[in-house]
Amino acid sequence: MSAVISAAAGGAGRRGAKRVLVAGGGGFIGANLCRVLLAQGHTVIALDNYYSSARRNLLDLESQTGLTLIEHDIIEPLLRLELGELDEIYNLACPASPPHYQRAPLFTLKTCFNGTMNLLDLAVLKNARYVQASTSEVYGDPQIHPQPENYWGYVNPVGIRACYDEGKRAGETLCIEYMRQYGVDLRIARIFNTYGPFMDPNDGRVVSNFIVQALSGQDLTVYGDGRQTRSFCYVDDMVRGLLALMKAPKAPDGPVNLGNPSEFTMLELAELVLAKVSSKARLRFEPLPQDDPQRRQPDISKAREHLSWRPSVSLAEGLEKTIKYFEMRLHADIAAAE
């Protein structure tokens, strides 16, 4: 059953305003995207089942003019929902952190395939432009560095991460076939590690783990020897990239990497977090999880060329903003528990 909360329509009457569906609107990136779209005057429908997201991410927006919140699982049929006309659809709906997607692997696969198909059917019906949030995980543990879009990846199809990795790869295939068969105007974003406000403190991702542990005075958990790398993109930059991809007059040929090409080891990230929090916590080393990629860095040449996009927020600056959010969030959680 779907739960719908509507605010008064506002954005649709403004010049150039669009009606936009954000599937996964209650998630980390989705909540940030909804805020920007509303600020630009668009009418936004935020659809989410809140499996790995939180309604609290949208609480301050519930009275926002031009916003409709719908609690619904994209695995279930969408065509019976009263959505009205749609100009754009963003598919951000999927558990994205290992603890979440590994907890329910079949659900994750259904979300990646059945859910994406339902949204693509909706795009066909509404003649809406569509952006698919794919992931750098399609590259697996890459043998090419940095990773360009024409690299096919090195993925274990039966590993514990496969429900997400292969699910997202299948989602890309669905998108391309809908484009070929139905002419859907779609774009595929391969999102690399992103962080910032509205992250779940317990989502198991390295940035949130390090920050929460440092703020709580706990030792920081480092997996392996800490020399494996990631490239961290602040959420404001990622939202700009998604908007640029949607607005591009002509869809780029194939997927587009969106991420920050600056590469850091886990040890470098841990040291930076400890310095920003002024914590004297130590590092606690644990075995590396199965199929955990050793290196991850996007080649964003395509995004620069076709979208005139590149990230502008440094890791140091982004961490300061993210730490402030987590300080506020943890204090609020403590107050609520008292």
Side-chain angles (χ1 to χ4, degrees), residues 203-226:
D203 70 1
R205 301 188 215 192
V206 65
V207 172
S208 52
N209 279 354
F210 281 177
I211 292 176
V212 170
Q213 289 172 334
L215 289 174
S216 303
Q218 304 173 30
D219 291 343
L220 274 59
T221 304
V222 177
Y223 294 99
D225 61 9

Side-chain angles (χ1 to χ4, degrees), residues 125-246:
L125 178 67
K126 303 293 185 180
N127 192 29
R129 184 175 288 182
Y130 181 98
V131 164
Q132 172 80 357
S134 189
T135 173
S136 60
E137 298 299 328
V138 301
Y139 298 120
D141 190 4
Q143 308 297 295
I144 294 178
H145 193 79
Q147 294 81 57
E149 291 87 350
N150 61 5
Y151 174 52
W152 292 353
Y154 187 73
V155 176
N156 179 358
V158 294
I160 60 172
R161 302 170 68 101
C163 62
Y164 184 68
D165 300 359
E166 296 287 32
K168 284 294 188 177
R169 287 160 71 96
E172 289 191 9
T173 303
L174 269 175
C175 287
I176 294 301
E177 295 305 333
Y178 266 75
M179 180 189 69
R180 290 169 178 159
Q181 185 165 338
Y182 299 110
V184 177
D185 182 4
L186 61 82
R187 298 97 196 278
I188 300 171
R190 286 182 178 164
I191 296 176
F192 282 67
N193 292 65
T194 304
Y195 70 100
F198 299 106
M199 293 186 79
D200 179 357
N202 301 309
D203 70 1
R205 301 188 215 192
V206 65
V207 172
S208 52
N209 279 354
F210 281 177
I211 292 176
V212 170
Q213 289 172 334
L215 289 174
S216 303
Q218 304 173 30
D219 291 343
L220 274 59
T221 304
V222 177
Y223 294 99
D225 61 9
R227 291 185 173 85
Q228 65 272 32
T229 69
R230 296 294 184 272
S231 301
F232 301 102
C233 186
Y234 188 64
V235 68
D236 288 1
D237 284 331
M238 182 56 62
V239 168
R240 279 197 306 105
L242 292 170
L243 290 170
L245 187 58
M246 179 68 84

Side-chain angles (χ1 to χ4, degrees), residues 66-108:
L67 175 68
T68 299
L69 304 182
I70 300 179
E71 185 172 349
H72 184 85
D73 193 325
I74 63 169
I75 293 174
E76 302 300 326
L78 297 169
L79 300 184
R80 61 183 173 83
L81 298 179
E82 297 181 3
L83 298 173
E85 296 301 314
L86 294 173
D87 299 299
E88 298 174 350
I89 298 172
Y90 290 87
N91 181 13
L92 298 169
C94 187
S97 69
H100 287 151
Y101 64 68
Q102 290 172 7
R103 186 170 68 236
L106 293 179
F107 170 75
T108 299

